[in-house]
Amino acid sequence: MKKALLAVFAFAALAFAGLGSAQKFSVYTGYPFGIGGMYYLSENLRVDGTVMIVPGGFGVGGGVDMILGKIPVVEQDPFPINFYYGVGGSAGFVSVLNVGVFGVGANVFGGLEYRFNEGLGIFSEFGVGPALGFYPSGMIFTLDYVGRFGLNFY
């Protein structure tokens, strides 16, 4: 557990250290329940990290997402409402009732973003995809869901 907490703090320190030069970063909450942040390496490539709260335990996770396209929903000047979609991959560790589970997955996602001004936007997105979990007595294959709601800072 100490190693997992150290990893979370190290990720957070690196993420916040780079925010001054970030093109765009986000903070969010969602499902799986927890809080997280995203850092955009480019307009269409982002990395994220999450601290999850699960019944009987906690977890940490991270991922990489590629935004494949954006479609204007409302073209208002100068800040539109956009629909975006993409693909991603993730990995995470969850400890539930003293049983550790390591998981990997892939997903497709879509979301909406509304920009209030040049520096701030709000977004909501949903993703789904296959996931594989490894635990001490075996493994499990499942369909995983992701939902996020948060703020984008430019």
Side-chain angles (χ1 to χ4, degrees):
M1 184 162 155
K2 288 181 183 179
K3 288 181 183 179
L5 287 174
L6 179 61
V8 170
F9 288 123
F11 176 79
L14 290 173
F16 286 113
L19 292 181
S21 62
Q23 175 181 348
K24 177 177 169 183
F25 68 95
S26 305
V27 292
Y28 63 86
T29 187
Y31 179 83
F33 301 110
I35 57 172
M38 290 187 281
Y39 178 79
Y40 284 73
L41 300 171
S42 70
E43 184 64 30
N44 296 323
L45 182 64
R46 66 189 188 190
V47 294
D48 69 83
T50 305
V51 176
M52 299 169 276
I53 302 166
V54 295
F58 80 100
V60 294
V64 176
D65 298 322
M66 174 68 81
I67 297 173
L68 299 175
K70 294 180 182 178
I71 302 168
V73 175
V74 175
E75 294 185 26
Q76 70 188 63
D77 201 21
F79 305 108
I81 297 174
N82 288 314
F83 170 76
Y84 59 91
Y85 58 92
V87 296
S90 62
F93 176 80
V94 179
S95 176
V96 179
L97 302 173
N98 294 326
V99 175
V101 179
F102 175 76
V104 294
N107 64 55
V108 296
F109 62 89
L112 288 172
E113 179 192 29
Y114 172 73
R115 289 187 61 181
F116 295 109
N117 56 41
E118 291 180 18
L120 181 65
I122 190 168
F123 74 94
S124 179
E125 68 184 41
F126 178 76
V128 63
L132 189 59
F134 302 93
Y135 56 97
S137 59
M139 67 180 189
I140 185 169
F141 181 77
T142 186
L143 192 61
D144 201 14
Y145 301 95
V146 176
R148 296 177 177 155
F149 177 77
L151 296 171
N152 287 327
F153 299 93
Y154 294 85

